[in-house]
Amino acid sequence: MPLTLEQIEARLADHHPPYPAPGRRAAVAAVFRFDLGRPEVLLMKRSERAGDRWSGHVSFPGGREEAGDPDLLATAVRETLEEVGLDLRRSARLLGRLGATRAVARGRVLPMTITPFVFNLVADAPLALREEAESAFWFPLDRAAAGALDDTYTYRLGPIPLNLPCWRYEGYVVWGLTYQMLRGLLAVVGG
């Protein structure tokens, strides 16, 4: 059964995960569009930058909560505008929130949570990539859910190679936290 906007909306309306406790937190935006009659979600490839734990990785737009953010939703909206130039307040509608995921980088669990907020794009909005984003693309979530993009990614943790599940699409590798959060989204919406 294909994933529809109505199905995603209904499942997220019934999904009420606990709000993450105060502390080191981040938020990301899982932005859907259905332009081709199928669900696609916006992903970006992060620019290679010194000091960025996820440098060069494929991710959702998003980042750390700042003192001026009234809540994590505001963090996701601000970071999406800063990274890919998409103003979610004008061009998207909030569908819901997923549970927080514990951040992991370089094989280490970090004292930070990441909360995904799910949106539907409701107006044409060209992307304007900023310095944090090398590229952005629309990922076919239905193909991933069907297993058509399944593969493995070899991550080296020091001398130890780890074969991790991933999706490969048009030269991009979706693995790690982004893969985990998308799998969580699919579990909630039934894909």
Side-chain angles (χ1 to χ4, degrees), residues 28-51:
V28 297
V31 181
F32 276 96
R33 75 174 185 184
F34 288 82
D35 289 4
L36 304 173
R38 65 175 201 233
E40 296 177 302
V41 66
L42 178 64
L43 297 176
M44 61 181 249
K45 183 173 182 190
R46 302 185 68 78
S47 298
E48 298 280 344
R49 293 176 29 177

Side-chain angles (χ1 to χ4, degrees), residues 20 24 29 37 69 80 82 100-101 123 138 149 152 163 182 184:
R24 290 182 57 198
D69 294 338
T80 300
E82 289 176 4
T101 299
W138 291 96
L149 306 176
T152 57
N163 290 320
L182 281 170

Side-chain angles (χ1 to χ4, degrees), residues 53-69:
R53 290 181 170 106
W54 299 282
S55 181
H57 292 198
V58 169
S59 71
F60 293 108
R64 280 190 183 175
E65 179 181 37
E66 292 184 356
D69 294 338

Side-chain angles (χ1 to χ4, degrees), residues 11 13 18 26-27 34 43 45 49 55 85 100 103 105 121 131 148 151 155 157 162 167 169-170 177 187:
R11 296 286 172 85
F34 288 82
L43 297 176
K45 183 173 182 190
R49 293 176 29 177
S55 181
L121 197 64
E131 66 185 35
D151 206 338
Y155 176 73
L157 187 56
L162 300 173
W167 290 308
Y169 176 71
E170 295 187 352
L177 286 170

Side-chain angles (χ1 to χ4, degrees), residues 32 49 51 77 86-87 96 101 113 118 140 154 156 173 190:
F32 276 96
R49 293 176 29 177
V77 168
L86 181 59
D87 187 346
T101 299
T113 59
V118 183
T154 302
R156 290 200 141 325
V173 181

Side-chain angles (χ1 to χ4, degrees), residues 65-181:
E65 179 181 37
E66 292 184 356
D69 294 338
D71 56 26
L72 288 173
L73 174 59
T75 301
V77 168
R78 175 184 53 75
E79 285 283 342
T80 300
L81 183 60
E82 289 176 4
E83 292 180 344
V84 297
L86 181 59
D87 187 346
L88 295 171
R89 294 167 299 189
R90 294 183 180 183
S91 57
R93 183 170 55 86
L94 179 66
L95 301 178
R97 174 178 56 84
L98 300 176
T101 299
R102 179 67 62 186
V104 177
R106 299 183 187 123
R108 297 177 60 162
V109 176
L110 303 176
M112 180 172 68
T113 59
I114 303 169
T115 301
F117 288 85
V118 183
F119 296 85
N120 180 47
L121 197 64
V122 295
D124 285 338
L127 302 177
L129 303 182
R130 308 287 164 64
E131 66 185 35
E132 293 170 310
E134 177 182 301
S135 59
F137 62 102
W138 291 96
F139 182 71
L141 196 56
D142 60 332
R143 289 183 57 201
L149 306 176
D150 288 358
D151 206 338
T152 57
Y153 175 74
T154 302
Y155 176 73
R156 290 200 141 325
L157 187 56
I160 302 168
L162 300 173
N163 290 320
L164 303 172
C166 75
W167 290 308
R168 292 185 188 269
Y169 176 71
E170 295 187 352
Y172 294 103
V173 181
V174 180
W175 68 286
L177 286 170
T178 304
Y179 179 88
Q180 182 181 344
M181 287 185 271

